[in-house]
Every structure is written in structure tokens, then in C-alpha cells.
Amino acid sequence: MLKRICEQRGMSPRTVAIRAGISTSTMSYIVKGKTNPQVYTVLQLCNALGVQIGDLFERGDGVSEAVEYVTSEEKELVDCYRCLSDRKKELLRIYVDMLRQYDEKLPANK
């Protein structure tokens, strides 16, 4: 679905990756279905493509629908993220990256 949206927008996956601030290799893995992106990455892709999160997912009949993995809390975060200025989005990205780094340093038995 992601590849089709890129094509509809006249953008290559590489261009979308650059606009979304993710690596082209990560984008390649996502497009090929070799990895499931984190919600934060999905948000970045949605913003780069100008689509809603549910647009990235479809049922077998081609009809878009929100993924069952997205909780109402995550949906609320998506909505809040979309209302932020570009500067605040960048600050949020930095904060999320710091949280990830902190989480990786914690012992396995959190």
C-alpha cells in the first residue's frame, strides 16, 4: 500500500524517506514488508505523504481502514502531532530519540 501511495503522489520511496527523515534502507524494508515501523515512523511517513494513518493500510478488497494495532491513545497522539508546528515536531523527534536511547540502556528486567 505504501508503494502505491508513493506512486499516486508521484514520489519515489527514496524521496518520501528523505522528507520523512528516515533512512532509505528503513524505507526499503518497510515497503518490502520486512519490518513493521514504529508509530513515530508511521507518523513521519504520513506527514511526508500528506495522508492519514488509516490510508497506509487496506483490507484485501482495497478499502482503507485503520489498523487494529493502533490504539485510541496512539490515534490521539497522531492527531496531536499533526497540529504541532514543524519546530515542535522536530523537538518531539529529539525527545523520542532520547527516550529510545534511555530505554536501550535499561536492564532487561525493567
Side-chain angles (χ1 to χ4, degrees):
M1 184 65 181
L2 180 59
K3 188 174 182 177
R4 185 172 6 147
I5 292 174
C6 290
E7 290 169 357
Q8 289 171 346
R9 298 275 190 262
M11 299 166 60
S12 69
R14 182 181 187 282
T15 301
V16 174
I18 292 167
R19 285 189 182 181
I22 64 173
S23 72
T24 54
S25 61
T26 297
M27 182 66 164
S28 177
Y29 279 110
I30 294 169
V31 169
K32 292 176 182 176
K34 292 184 178 182
T35 187
N36 292 321
Q38 295 183 355
V39 172
Y40 169 75
T41 302
V42 173
L43 289 174
Q44 290 174 286
L45 292 171
C46 286
N47 283 326
L49 289 164
V51 298
Q52 301 228 353
I53 195 166
D55 296 335
L56 295 180
F57 307 96
E58 67 179 0
R59 299 187 311 221
D61 60 4
V63 177
S64 292
E65 71 174 14
V67 163
E68 61 189 79
Y69 309 113
V70 179
T71 66
S72 60
E73 182 180 4
E74 290 170 330
K75 170 77 170 93
E76 183 179 345
L77 289 172
V78 170
D79 293 339
C80 290
Y81 179 84
R82 287 175 178 254
C83 295
L84 297 175
S85 68
D86 289 342
R87 177 66 182 139
K88 288 182 179 179
K89 287 177 184 177
E90 181 58 30
L91 290 172
L92 183 58
R93 286 183 196 114
I94 292 167
Y95 181 68
V96 169
D97 288 341
M98 288 171 44
L99 287 174
R100 281 190 195 133
Q101 290 173 7
Y102 174 76
D103 194 43
E104 290 170 1
K105 292 179 183 178
L106 291 177
N109 326 351
K110 301 174 195 175

